[in-house]
Amino acid sequence: MTLTELRYIVALAQEKNFSRAAERCSVSQPTLSVAIARLEDELGVQLFERGKGFVSPSLVGARVVEQAQLALEEAEKVRQIAQRGRDQLDGTLRLGVIHTIGPYLLPQLIHSLKAVAPNMPLAIEENMTANLADMLRDNDIDVAILALPFDLPGVLTRPLYDEVFKVVVPLGHRWENLPAIPPEEVAGDEVLLLKAGNCFRDQVLGACPQVSSPETDIRLGHSIGTIRCMVASGLGVSVLPEGALQHPYSNDMIRVIPFVPPEPSRRVALAWRNCFVRPKAIDALLAAVRGLDSPAYRLLV
Amino acid sequence: MTLTELRYIVALAQEKNFSRAAERCSVSQPTLSVAIARLEDELGVQLFERGKGFVSPSLVGARVVEQAQLALEEAEKVRQIAQRGRDQLDGTLRLGVIHTIGPYLLPQLIHSLKAVAPNMPLAIEENMTANLADMLRDNDIDVAILALPFDLPGVLTRPLYDEVFKVVVPLGHRWENLPAIPPEEVAGDEVLLLKAGNCFRDQVLGACPQVSSPETDIRLGHSIGTIRCMVASGLGVSVLPEGALQHPYSNDMIRVIPFVPPEPSRRVALAWRNCFVRPKAIDALLAAVRGLDSPAYRLLV
DNA sequence: GGCTACCATAGGGAACCCCTATAGATCATG
DNA sequence: CATGATCTATAGGGGTTCCCTATGGTAGCC
């Protein structure tokens, strides 16, 4: 039983004439004759009554033809779904992003992406790098935005931008009016950090080696927002990525002070499986990043 | 796009592995590989992401596979419907019958048919011979029970039984106590007849040539039941087929008198298109007639 | 670096599908 | 009654498609 045969019997049931049905199907009359005879043989039922001057579906034939029509419609829907899905920029893209980027980059990125791919909504998964790696591997997300270095077999990366780190201190802090701070000055147990597992925590520790790893949770924040509040409340100082310090996040209660050059920074990149079937979606994301208009991000694309 | 290809993508989506999917479909791995590549090419969409150690449907692929499953199910139903329809004795048989036979034969026939073909209900069309002929030709009915002669191109007939005619007179009629009546005695304008178009009317006129064709409707009955009542009420005499005079129809108000031999009679037959696809249904009807147990019908089968 | 697992590609052979030509059957017509 | 018209079935050939085995290519793993 083939879809072609089903098309044949439907046409014959409608035309009630082999020659016309064949013409409608763009085949010769014998082709249709043989195909229908073959199908009848396969099904073990005579589907049509052939009389002189008329062809008419039998009792079974009528039911079979009706069902054949349904089957053909369903098959046609397959084609339609594929047709609609041909546009790689149509349909949800599953994006993973780390906690220290998501809330600050995505509002702008999504805005920019709308211009490039208006029909590609993002399903956003905010998580830590290690979990995003798993999700990429398991095909739970399509792409991820995270900080380099990031190496995973079968996964490609492309740098998006560099983002420098800034020192943040409470109002009235002794550094409040310094024009810049050398990294080694940021030291001791006064520095608030993210909890373990956040890659940005490790990047800060790398940039400021004098910072001691805290022994209690008191100096550990769950998120950059928490850290910011803790700094504002005078608990200590911290180091934050520039993106987290831009509009619309208020810096009224804190002072943002640059490091002395070379300013420490992190490189943010896009990551995706090399076999991902929607390369144009990657391109659209890159274009969206290119369309960002924020001094906090030093674009590499 | 073929049903086979749809089966392939469904299997691949389930197995997530070309080799296993191929095995499940009983084809070689390259066959499945090529078929899926071909389908992807035809649809213009990549349906699967091929990674090392995993195969996973793409966004479109997942939807296509889902729809493919629906299409396959509908196609399978075609097969099931055909399978169920293989029994020619399963499903309604459209039976036409003339007015002068239907009400008298069918109750017994249906009872007898139940034993032969319990799953073949009859859709009964009671009409006059000419109309039944049209319906047979137009495939509005499958078979007909009517009186011979009956010739129609492409239609076969088979005699079922002979049915003799009887004279019916009202109680107190001058013939009431005659043992038999010669046909030529039945004459003049005292004889009640069916309206024009009923074949039985013509058969009576053929058997009793002395009967004058009435000029007014006063002596014309719409049905045998009407005629019987008219006779009972004393309006005249008539000639009726023996089947219409048997149990459970009451003959209390009339006298039934045989003709002198050779009794006039009619030959009742089964008629069907020679291309009718359910010959076993014909056989079942013949068997049902054979199973009749009524002295009114002199079986020929 | 070799091994393993897995999918893609190549090439040959068989099956299938469709074609044209023609036969066969029935009905209408002269 | 022969003839023609109409319609479906059959025959035989040709081209495509499908599927096979064998092999290549690539990534991951020990």
Side-chain angles (χ1 to χ4, degrees):
Chain A
M1 188 172 64
T2 69
L3 288 174
T4 305
E5 286 165 353
L6 296 187
R7 270 186 283 272
Y8 288 170
I9 63 173
V10 169
L12 182 56
Q14 287 173 355
E15 294 291 344
K16 301 189 183 305
N17 174 297
F18 277 73
S19 301
R20 283 199 302 275
E23 188 178 0
R24 165 113 78 101
C25 297
S26 305
V27 295
S28 69
Q29 169 264 313
T31 294
L32 190 123
S33 247
V34 170
I36 289 183
R38 182 177 51 237
L39 180 60
E40 285 179 329
D41 186 56
E42 175 184 345
L43 296 181
V45 184
Q46 194 161 348
L47 300 174
F48 292 94
E49 227 174 84
R50 285 96 155 152
K52 290 304 138 190
F54 79 98
V55 173
S56 174
S58 67
L59 185 69
V60 199
R63 289 203 301 260
V64 166
V65 165
E66 196 177 348
Q67 181 60 39
Q69 233 155 351
L70 294 179
L72 288 174
E73 283 168 20
E74 295 299 316
E76 192 46 41
K77 283 187 199 163
V78 171
R79 200 180 296 277
Q80 287 172 6
I81 287 172
Q83 181 65 34
R84 278 201 297 274
R86 288 178 77 154
D87 182 3
Q88 295 183 13
L89 300 186
D90 190 281
T92 301
L93 185 72
R94 299 171 303 171
L95 169 71
V97 63
I98 56 177
H99 296 299
T100 54
I101 295 181
Y104 312 106
L105 172 67
L106 290 187
Q108 302 173 55
L109 185 68
I110 287 171
H111 184 263
S112 176
L113 185 63
K114 268 270 182 286
V116 185
N119 298 317
M120 187 170 70
L122 296 180
I124 294 165
E125 174 71 30
E126 193 179 302
N127 217 316
M128 295 190 293
T129 301
N131 293 328
L132 293 181
D134 287 345
M135 297 181 77
L136 258 186
R137 180 169 37 76
D138 299 344
N139 194 13
D140 290 326
I141 55 176
D142 297 316
V143 295
I145 295 177
L146 31 69
L148 295 181
F150 182 74
D151 276 308
L152 195 63
V155 170
L156 302 176
T157 62
R158 165 131 184 198
L160 296 176
Y161 57 82
D162 285 329
E163 183 180 24
V164 302
F165 299 161
K166 300 285 185 183
V167 180
V168 291
V169 302
L171 294 184
H173 190 272
R174 65 182 188 279
W175 297 343
E176 184 175 5
N177 294 316
L178 289 181
I181 298 174
E184 52 276 15
E185 284 289 316
V186 180
D189 57 4
E190 189 191 15
V191 182
L192 308 181
L193 291 175
L194 283 172
K195 288 186 185 277
N198 286 287
C199 62
F200 181 67
R201 166 204 170 93
D202 303 323
Q203 288 153 8
V204 170
L205 290 175
C208 312
Q210 318 292 340
V211 173
S212 64
S213 200
E215 278 141 20
T216 68
D217 275 355
I218 194 90
R219 292 196 295 121
L220 296 182
H222 277 88
S223 71
I224 286 185
T226 311
I227 299 272
R228 183 206 308 271
C229 293
M230 289 162 75
V231 169
S233 72
L235 191 64
V237 304
S238 190
V239 174
L240 295 182
E242 189 173 7
L245 299 169
Q246 62 185 334
H247 179 81
Y249 295 96
S250 163
N251 297 329
D252 289 348
M253 306 285 289
I254 55 177
R255 280 281 179 277
V256 177
I257 308 167
F259 281 101
V260 296
E263 296 177 282
S265 69
R266 63 177 176 181
R267 181 154 287 183
V268 173
L270 197 62
W272 67 95
R273 286 181 301 284
N274 58 6
C275 55
F276 181 50
V277 293
R278 297 166 71 190
K280 289 202 171 68
I282 304 292
D283 295 341
L285 273 180
L286 295 176
V289 169
R290 211 171 293 126
L292 290 178
D293 182 26
S294 167
Y297 307 125
R298 305 180 184 179
L299 299 186
L300 301 169
V301 288
Chain B
M1 188 171 63
T2 69
L3 289 173
T4 305
E5 286 165 353
L6 297 186
R7 271 187 282 272
Y8 288 170
I9 63 173
V10 169
L12 182 56
Q14 288 173 354
E15 295 290 344
K16 299 187 184 306
N17 175 297
F18 276 72
S19 302
R20 284 199 302 275
E23 188 178 1
R24 165 117 73 106
C25 297
S26 307
V27 294
S28 70
Q29 170 264 313
T31 293
L32 189 124
S33 249
V34 170
I36 288 183
R38 182 177 51 237
L39 181 60
E40 286 179 329
D41 185 56
E42 176 185 345
L43 296 180
V45 184
Q46 194 160 349
L47 300 175
F48 292 94
E49 227 174 84
R50 285 93 156 155
K52 290 302 141 189
F54 78 98
V55 173
S56 174
S58 67
L59 186 68
V60 199
R63 290 203 301 260
V64 165
V65 165
E66 197 177 346
Q67 181 60 41
Q69 231 156 352
L70 294 179
L72 288 173
E73 283 169 19
E74 295 300 315
E76 191 47 41
K77 283 186 198 163
V78 170
R79 202 181 295 277
Q80 287 172 7
I81 287 172
Q83 182 66 33
R84 277 201 297 274
R86 289 176 75 154
D87 182 3
Q88 296 183 12
L89 299 187
D90 190 280
T92 301
L93 186 71
R94 298 171 302 171
L95 169 70
V97 64
I98 57 178
H99 297 298
T100 53
I101 295 182
Y104 313 105
L105 171 67
L106 289 187
Q108 302 174 54
L109 185 68
I110 287 172
H111 183 262
S112 177
L113 185 62
K114 268 271 180 289
V116 185
N119 298 316
M120 187 170 71
L122 295 181
I124 294 165
E125 173 71 30
E126 193 179 300
N127 216 316
M128 294 190 295
T129 302
N131 294 327
L132 293 181
D134 288 344
M135 298 182 75
L136 258 186
R137 181 170 37 78
D138 299 344
N139 193 14
D140 291 325
I141 54 176
D142 297 316
V143 295
I145 294 177
L146 31 70
L148 294 183
F150 182 75
D151 276 306
L152 195 63
V155 170
L156 303 176
T157 62
R158 165 132 183 197
L160 296 176
Y161 57 82
D162 285 329
E163 183 180 24
V164 301
F165 301 161
K166 300 285 183 183
V167 179
V168 290
V169 302
L171 295 184
H173 189 273
R174 66 182 187 277
W175 297 343
E176 183 177 6
N177 294 316
L178 290 182
I181 298 175
E184 52 278 13
E185 286 288 317
V186 180
D189 57 2
E190 190 191 14
V191 181
L192 308 181
L193 289 176
L194 282 173
K195 286 183 185 278
N198 286 287
C199 61
F200 181 66
R201 168 205 168 95
D202 302 323
Q203 288 153 7
V204 170
L205 290 175
C208 312
Q210 319 291 338
V211 173
S212 63
S213 200
E215 279 140 21
T216 69
D217 276 356
I218 194 89
R219 289 196 295 123
L220 297 181
H222 277 89
S223 71
I224 286 185
T226 310
I227 299 271
R228 183 205 310 271
C229 293
M230 289 161 75
V231 169
S233 72
L235 191 63
V237 304
S238 190
V239 175
L240 296 181
E242 189 172 8
L245 298 169
Q246 63 184 333
H247 179 80
Y249 297 95
S250 163
N251 298 328
D252 289 350
M253 307 283 290
I254 55 178
R255 280 280 178 279
V256 176
I257 308 168
F259 281 100
V260 296
E263 296 177 282
S265 68
R266 63 177 177 182
R267 180 155 288 182
V268 172
L270 197 62
W272 66 94
R273 287 180 301 283
N274 58 6
C275 56
F276 181 51
V277 294
R278 298 167 70 189
K280 288 201 173 70
I282 304 291
D283 295 341
L285 272 180
L286 295 176
V289 169
R290 211 172 293 125
L292 290 177
D293 182 26
S294 166
Y297 307 125
R298 304 181 185 179
L299 299 186
L300 299 169
V301 290

